[in-house]
Amino acid sequence: LLESNLFGHVKGAFTGAIYPKKGLFELADKGTIFFDEIGNIPLETQAKLLRVIQEREFMRLGGVETIKVDVRIIAATNVELRKMMEEGKFREDLFYRLHVITVPLPALRERREDVPLLAQHFLEKYGVENQKPRLELTPEALDLLLEYEWPGNVRELENVIERAVVLSTSPRIDADLVPDHVRNSRRFQMPQFVVPPEGISYRDEEIAFQRGLIESAL
C-alpha cells in the first residue's frame, strides 16, 4: 500500500487495483515531497526510495514503464537514524543520501523562549475553531507553562492549550485551566540576588523574601 501511494500502480497490479493510479512522486514532480517519520519505512521500500533519489526515476507497481521525476525530498524523524542504521533497521546508503542538510530541532525544554510564541499560535488556532476570539494567557498561567519540562514537546503543549480553550469561559485563561500535572511540576527556585557595590541590608532582603513567599502562598 505504501509503495502504491508513493510510486502509483497500473491496473491489475494487485487485488483491488481496478484502475491505474499516479503516486505521490509523480504528482510531486518539479515540487517537494515530505516524509514524516521516515524511520518507519520498511527496508524493501527504502531500497526503492534510494533508487528514486539517485536515479530520479521509478516504475509504477506492476508496470514496466520508467517514469522520470525531479523532486525535492524533505524527511523528518524523532528517532536516531544513525542508531537504526547500526542495528540494521535503516539502510546505510539511504541514510547518507538523506543526510545532506540536517536541521536538528532541540526539545521544547531546551528552547523555553519558544513556549509563549507557540502558546499564542495555538490560542489563535483553537480560538477560531471554538468561536472564542482574542484569548490570552494570564502571567500566572504562562509562568506554569515556562517552568514545565514538556516531555511530549510541542504536541503536548498544543494539547494543553486546546484543553484550556475548550474549558475557558472568559477571554483570559488563568492557571486553574492548566492541567494538574503541569501545575504540580513547579519547583522551588532560589531567587537571584545582585549585590551592588555599596552592599545591601540583609535584614531588609530577608523580610522582603518572606513577604514574597507569604504573598505567593496566599
Side-chain angles (χ1 to χ4, degrees):
L1 182 60
L2 174 60
E3 290 183 16
S4 171
N5 285 332
L6 290 178
F7 310 119
H9 62 254
V10 298
K11 182 179 179 180
F14 52 86
T15 303
I18 58 177
Y19 56 87
K21 171 189 171 183
K22 289 185 177 182
L24 295 178
F25 267 105
E26 198 168 349
L27 294 172
D29 189 27
K30 299 294 187 290
T32 302
I33 188 167
F34 173 60
F35 286 91
D36 197 7
E37 301 300 347
I38 196 167
N40 293 337
I41 294 182
L43 285 169
E44 298 80 7
T45 308
Q46 289 179 28
K48 297 185 179 182
L49 179 59
L50 178 65
R51 183 192 174 198
V52 178
I53 296 175
Q54 291 187 158
E55 308 298 334
R56 298 188 179 185
E57 63 182 28
F58 64 93
M59 288 189 293
R60 293 195 187 109
L61 206 61
V64 293
E65 178 189 2
T66 298
I67 301 172
K68 292 189 174 294
V69 290
D70 182 11
V71 177
R72 177 194 294 110
I73 293 178
I74 300 176
T77 180
N78 67 348
V79 297
E80 274 289 343
L81 287 184
R82 189 179 295 275
K83 183 179 179 182
M84 289 185 65
M85 178 186 70
E86 294 169 353
E87 295 173 350
K89 298 177 181 177
F90 199 86
R91 290 181 63 102
E92 183 176 1
D93 43 11
L94 178 58
F95 172 81
Y96 287 114
R97 287 298 291 145
L98 292 171
H99 202 264
V100 179
I101 298 175
T102 60
V103 182
L105 186 62
L108 189 54
R109 64 180 175 274
E110 298 173 14
R111 49 189 176 100
R112 295 178 192 270
E113 66 277 8
D114 287 354
V115 170
L117 298 172
L118 289 167
Q120 184 59 40
H121 167 71
F122 294 133
L123 276 178
E124 294 172 0
K125 174 183 176 181
Y126 291 107
V128 171
E129 287 186 10
N130 293 274
Q131 291 81 50
K132 297 179 179 180
R134 295 183 295 277
L135 292 172
E136 63 177 2
L137 290 167
T138 65
E140 294 77 13
L142 184 57
D143 284 344
L144 291 173
L145 300 183
L146 287 168
E147 291 183 13
Y148 186 55
E149 290 292 319
W150 300 111
N153 288 305
V154 176
R155 287 189 181 93
E156 185 181 7
L157 174 60
E158 181 175 7
N159 291 340
V160 167
I161 297 298
E162 182 181 11
R163 173 186 182 274
V165 170
V166 171
L167 296 177
S168 66
T169 56
S170 72
R172 286 172 62 82
I173 294 178
D174 208 345
D176 61 340
L177 289 178
V178 177
D180 290 342
H181 72 278
V182 176
R183 197 161 54 237
N184 295 334
S185 69
R186 171 173 278 185
R187 300 179 304 277
F188 175 79
Q189 295 179 337
M190 284 295 294
Q192 299 296 313
F193 292 104
V194 178
V195 182
E198 64 272 16
I200 59 174
S201 166
Y202 176 79
R203 182 59 182 166
D204 290 347
E205 292 296 332
E206 183 181 25
I207 292 173
F209 180 51
Q210 291 177 351
R211 178 186 177 118
L213 286 176
I214 294 170
E215 289 179 345
S216 178
L218 289 173

